Amino acid sequence: MSATKQRPSVVDGGIAPSNALQSDFNANDDGDSMDADERYLRALGYKQSLHRQWKFFESFAASFAALYSVGGIRTTFTIGVGAGGPAAYWSSYVITCVFVFITAAVLAEVCSALPAAGSIYFWAAESGGRRYGRLFGFIVAWWSTTAWTTFVASNCQAAANFLLSEITVFGLNFPTDPTDIRFRAVQWIVSEGFLFLAIGMNYMDPKTYKTIFRLATGIILLDFVLNMIWLPIAVSNSYGFHDAKYVFTQTYNETGAPPVWNWMLSFYVTAGILVGFEASGHISEETQNASVVAARGIWWSAVASALIGFPLVILFLFCLPDLDTLYGLGAPQPFVEIYAMTLGRGGHVFMNVVCIIGLIFNTTVAGVASSRLIWAVARDGVLPFSGWISKVSTKKEPKNAIIVMHVVASLLLCTILASPVAFSSLVSAAGVPTITAYALIAFGRFFLTPRKFQHSPWSLGKWTRPFTLIALVWNLYLAAVLFSPLYFPVTGSTFNYSPVIFGAITLCGLLTFWLTPEDQWLPAARLGKVHQLEAEYE
């Protein structure tokens, strides 16, 4: 039975659990058999249902590999450099790094106080306080689960584009035009295959995830090193580098937008590259000493992803051909042709294999984070069929949540068959819900619950208030950019459907908020317990 249809009972002024994964506040548990993590989780009203054996490296890798900034820069480079040119791209990336550090610090502090698998959803509910917490929680639950599932699907299509670009490189007699249904059919089949491979690793024993995290981090660093060393050597032996004036001062307008907004649209890409660092929070119920380790994972993964991305942005600006040549390349993923032009056929094949493997592991790790988020949201009865989705296997993994994520991502990939606009519209909307969730949490923390969780083990101290306000303004600005059309004048083929899709997702959150009775949403009581714990600490 769905958890949303089970009415909790009131016991001695508290709320008894309606889900086996939720604990009874009034139960007398044997505290001696629990460690500090389990005891605090029980105090929040949740039982320790998942295995808890990961440490800092796994927490860091969950966000670092889910971001995969190297792959993100490469996949979106042609879009980013067309908005404002090289000068706008590198400068916008630097600005983005600064504000991402601030946003990550704000979220890390909240995570330190609430190290639960629902993470961003639970944090939003807490930030809304007693009056708006339930509303914030339901909306962000839908925003975050759809964003992460869409991200998983988009990664698989990106990997397919790298593979199918070899059609152009090797001159095969097959179309690579997205408007051709034959190409889209093959692209869909390959994308579904990569999805099956990547998410298939999520069904493995949780103990093997440590190896997956290490392999994912290793392939990202290998990708970074190969680009930083091998690519410039190859470029120097082929068409040569751009000069510094071009890299640091050249402007360009591929978008057709007014000059100022054309420059602002460079944030369209830089913001999308550095988003998702809250993944460490999604796996916090499987992390030891989570109130400190998960917070550190969020912060340091954001810093590391941004820092390795900057030299790569500068390198690509020096090494890639001029913009007219770049936009004249016909492969689905231009970088494959660029690697072929510089590294040769054999070298570029090896590099392409690294790129594809990196995206597969990127998808696998993102799937780990996404499934934990879906599981935690279902545990509180927010999603349809929550009772089934929140079941845990004998191996202490959320197997049904993984299945849901896999099925939904697979269905999203089917939109590739409809038209080239359909799937790209879904992908463009993937980053918006997460960024608006960051903004909503910051809004609640600044205006509604400004004095809560000032004593988190990982604390910003006196910087909490100013950093929270900065995070709010920054993420609202990014949302405005992501809602904007990317190409002007706006037509049916260039219209940005992100606001429409975002509105539909928000409506789903509002409907479940209105249709689910307040006393059936257990965190209503649990957040009260959170505030009680805070008061006792003070």
Side-chain angles (χ1 to χ4, degrees):
M1 179 182 293
S2 170
T4 58
K5 295 184 179 180
Q6 297 173 328
R7 181 176 295 277
S9 59
V10 179
V11 182
D12 297 333
I15 294 185
S18 63
N19 186 315
L21 305 180
Q22 298 167 335
S23 66
D24 189 344
F25 290 139
N26 304 300
N28 294 320
D29 296 308
D30 182 11
D32 294 337
S33 64
M34 302 181 192
D35 59 22
D37 289 306
E38 185 175 352
R39 191 176 297 111
Y40 187 75
L41 190 63
R42 183 64 64 103
L44 294 180
Y46 296 112
K47 294 180 180 179
Q48 182 65 53
S49 304
L50 304 179
H51 70 100
R52 191 186 288 272
Q53 56 182 332
W54 294 338
K55 299 180 180 179
F56 173 71
F57 180 82
E58 289 76 27
S59 180
F60 166 83
S63 292
F64 182 72
L67 262 74
Y68 190 17
S69 58
V70 177
I73 291 168
R74 184 168 44 220
T75 302
T76 60
F77 187 85
T78 54
I79 300 174
V81 79
Y89 194 3
W90 73 262
S91 59
S92 296
Y93 186 88
V94 172
I95 294 170
T96 300
C97 288
V98 173
F99 290 108
V100 161
F101 296 161
I102 292 174
T103 302
V106 170
L107 292 184
E109 183 179 49
V110 181
C111 177
S112 181
L114 287 174
S119 63
I120 193 170
Y121 139 77
F122 202 44
W123 305 339
E126 185 277 329
S127 72
R130 299 179 186 275
R131 184 173 183 181
Y132 298 105
R134 182 168 168 267
L135 174 63
F136 283 16
F138 272 74
I139 291 176
V140 171
W142 281 88
W143 284 355
S144 55
T145 53
T146 54
W148 276 90
T149 306
T150 304
F151 175 65
V152 166
S154 66
N155 267 0
C156 296
Q157 189 233 23
N161 283 343
F162 273 92
L163 179 62
L164 296 178
S165 293
E166 298 293 2
I167 295 173
T168 302
V169 174
F170 286 95
L172 303 181
N173 186 24
F174 193 82
T176 56
D177 185 354
T179 61
D180 193 309
I181 184 59
R182 292 176 296 169
F183 171 76
R184 295 205 306 276
V186 174
Q187 185 186 47
W188 170 68
I189 293 171
V190 175
S191 299
E192 293 283 9
F194 282 137
L195 177 66
F196 180 81
L197 177 61
I199 301 304
M201 286 188 273
N202 278 220
Y203 296 105
M204 299 170 66
D205 192 303
K207 294 179 180 179
T208 65
Y209 289 175
K210 287 186 176 182
T211 302
I212 292 174
F213 285 136
R214 281 163 173 73
L215 289 173
T217 303
I219 199 71
I220 292 172
L221 295 178
L222 175 63
D223 192 357
F224 173 74
V225 171
L226 288 176
N227 277 286
M228 293 300 298
I229 297 176
W230 195 8
L231 181 61
I233 293 174
V235 169
S236 67
N237 293 326
S238 53
Y239 53 74
F241 302 101
H242 290 293
D243 58 30
K245 181 179 180 181
Y246 169 86
V247 171
F248 295 108
T249 65
Q250 179 69 40
T251 59
Y252 196 77
N253 191 336
E254 175 72 10
T255 67
V260 174
W261 193 245
N262 175 59
W263 188 288
M264 294 296 100
L265 283 174
S266 59
F267 290 102
Y268 188 98
V269 168
T270 59
I273 293 169
L274 299 174
V275 65
F277 40 80
E278 80 279 6
S280 299
H282 298 333
I283 66 164
S284 59
E285 287 186 34
E286 297 163 274
T287 305
Q288 297 175 3
N289 192 21
S291 60
V292 174
V293 172
R296 290 173 56 209
I298 291 174
W299 164 251
W300 285 112
S301 64
V303 171
S305 297
L307 291 182
I308 69 170
F310 178 69
L312 206 60
V313 167
I314 299 300
L315 175 76
F316 286 162
L317 291 175
F318 272 108
C319 290
L320 266 60
D322 63 85
L323 296 179
D324 291 333
T325 302
L326 185 63
Y327 287 112
L329 299 176
Q333 174 45 251
F335 262 87
V336 177
E337 282 193 86
I338 292 168
Y339 286 142
M341 293 164 56
T342 55
L343 305 176
R345 286 202 170 185
H348 101 273
V349 168
F350 177 80
M351 195 68 211
N352 201 12
V353 169
V354 172
C355 296
I356 293 171
I357 293 176
L359 284 168
I360 290 173
F361 276 106
N362 176 212
T363 306
T364 300
V365 175
V368 173
S370 176
S371 60
R372 272 58 179 176
L373 172 65
I374 293 171
W375 171 79
V377 171
R379 177 175 58 180
D380 289 337
V382 176
L383 300 177
F385 309 106
S386 287
W388 180 81
I389 297 173
S390 62
K391 289 184 180 298
V392 178
S393 72
T394 55
K395 296 179 180 179
K396 294 188 174 182
E397 65 175 350
K399 185 176 180 180
N400 292 351
I402 296 172
I403 293 173
V404 169
M405 173 191 62
H406 193 169
V407 171
V408 174
S410 181
L411 292 174
L412 289 174
L413 285 173
C414 291
T415 60
I416 291 174
L417 297 171
S419 75
V421 176
F423 185 75
S424 62
S425 297
L426 290 172
V427 171
S428 67
V432 177
T434 302
I435 287 173
T436 49
Y438 295 167
L440 187 62
I441 291 171
F443 172 83
R445 293 277 290 155
F446 190 83
F447 292 105
L448 304 178
T449 54
R451 301 187 185 283
K452 298 299 179 183
F453 302 112
Q454 296 180 355
H455 304 286
S456 302
W458 199 96
S459 176
L460 295 175
K462 65 180 181 181
W463 296 102
T464 296
R465 290 278 287 170
F467 275 20
T468 302
L469 180 60
I470 293 170
L472 169 62
V473 175
W474 167 248
N475 285 284
L476 285 177
Y477 164 72
L478 288 187
V481 172
L482 292 172
F483 281 140
S484 168
L486 189 56
Y487 297 103
F488 294 80
V490 180
T491 64
S493 60
T494 62
F495 182 75
N496 184 355
Y497 290 91
S498 294
V500 178
I501 297 171
F502 178 78
I505 296 169
T506 305
L507 181 60
C508 289
L510 290 174
L511 287 174
T512 53
F513 168 75
W514 287 324
L515 296 176
T516 304
E518 183 173 357
D519 62 354
Q520 291 186 9
W521 186 61
L522 267 289
R526 303 184 191 291
L527 289 176
K529 185 69 174 180
V530 170
H531 299 310
Q532 177 185 333
L533 291 173
E534 174 72 4
E536 291 175 355
Y537 184 93
E538 293 178 349

